[in-house]
Amino acid sequence: MNLPFPGRAALALLATLTPLVALAHGISEADRQRMLDGGYLQYVGLGASHMLTGYDHLLFLFGVVFFLASFKDVVKFVSIFTLGHCITLIFATFFKITWNYYLIDAIIALSVMYKAFDNNGGFQKHFQMASPNLLWMVFGFGLLHGFGLSTRLQQLPLGDDPMQMLWRILSFNVGVELGQIAALVVMVGLLALWRHRASFKRFAYMANLALFYAGVYLLFMQLHGYQHDADPDSFRFPAAEHRHAHEDLDVENTEDPSRDGL
């Protein structure tokens, strides 16, 4: 497949980040133990770090704020996204509603592709129609992103006491919001500086095309992860069969020691 330069650049960058992306939403054993040993601040810290390494969430937010020139618009769209992911993060976790996290993250990758497609006028160019209401779309995708966060939070020891469980969920959510604010400050600041340069109009299309290909990369990575998760035996190395093949070939007895000397 012959991809345009921005697509190749995005894939090359993400290929170097594959180990980090794979761990971006994972909950390590060290995190589990830290949650058991610590208090609510541990959940705040984990929520913040989880958002700051949640590349799919950050890419989507980057797409949302890319063309937002006013502070009022940034606050409006970020607030509706935040409301969406708070609803599903809190309620899905508290009531233990879950699904396969690889599939959820695959759909989240589609949200990144959607926003890049919309930013480049895809609906107008390919479907001769206006874009769907952006505010409602951002809210809907916020619900989806919150559900993705919830599936990972449910891997943690949240306890059996309903009030303690709720406070841990809320603490994690506070951390997510703090991480999101930190990331947005950087994004919005850089975009504000770039938007006043002539290169912004020249490269805006290419930047969103790269964003689209980044979403494609994440989509296939999550589907690959789901395939491993759903059918792990299909990926195992057939050690027994490999050994039997060597025995059939009698590999160990094919050496000729008489040729070891000069």
Side-chain angles (χ1 to χ4, degrees), residues 25 59 67 72 79 93 104-105 111 119 127 151 165 174 183 194 211 215 234 259 261:
H25 287 305
L59 286 171
F67 285 117
K72 179 181 177 181
S79 296
T93 308
I104 296 172
D105 285 354
S111 75
N119 283 354
F127 301 111
T151 61
M165 182 179 175
V174 167
W194 186 31
L211 182 64
S234 65
R259 302 180 66 179

Side-chain angles (χ1 to χ4, degrees), residues 20 45 112 114 126 131 150 175 180 195 197 206 209 216 224:
L20 294 176
V112 175
Y114 174 93
H126 300 287
S131 300
S150 172
Q180 179 174 280
R195 194 173 285 112
R197 298 178 180 272
M206 296 174 64
L209 191 61
V216 172
H224 180 69

Side-chain angles (χ1 to χ4, degrees), residues 49-117:
S49 64
H50 195 74
M51 174 54 77
L52 290 173
T53 56
Y55 306 107
D56 45 6
H57 301 291
L58 297 180
L59 286 171
F60 178 75
L61 281 172
F62 180 76
V64 169
V65 301
F66 192 86
F67 285 117
L68 299 182
S70 72
F71 179 74
K72 179 181 177 181
D73 284 338
V74 171
V75 171
K76 179 173 69 174
F77 281 95
V78 170
S79 296
I80 200 70
F81 177 73
T82 300
L83 175 63
H85 75 66
C86 284
I87 289 172
T88 45
L89 171 58
I90 294 170
F91 284 94
T93 308
F94 189 79
F95 292 106
K96 300 179 180 179
I97 303 169
T98 190
W99 197 36
N100 185 283
Y101 50 79
Y102 285 114
L103 291 181
I104 296 172
D105 285 354
I107 301 173
I108 289 174
L110 288 175
S111 75
V112 175
M113 296 165 60
Y114 174 93
K115 196 68 199 77
F117 178 80

Side-chain angles (χ1 to χ4, degrees), residues 195-213:
R195 194 173 285 112
H196 297 294
R197 298 178 180 272
S199 62
F200 181 80
K201 289 185 178 179
R202 291 204 308 270
F203 293 107
Y205 179 85
M206 296 174 64
N208 279 283
L209 191 61
L211 182 64
F212 181 86
Y213 283 122

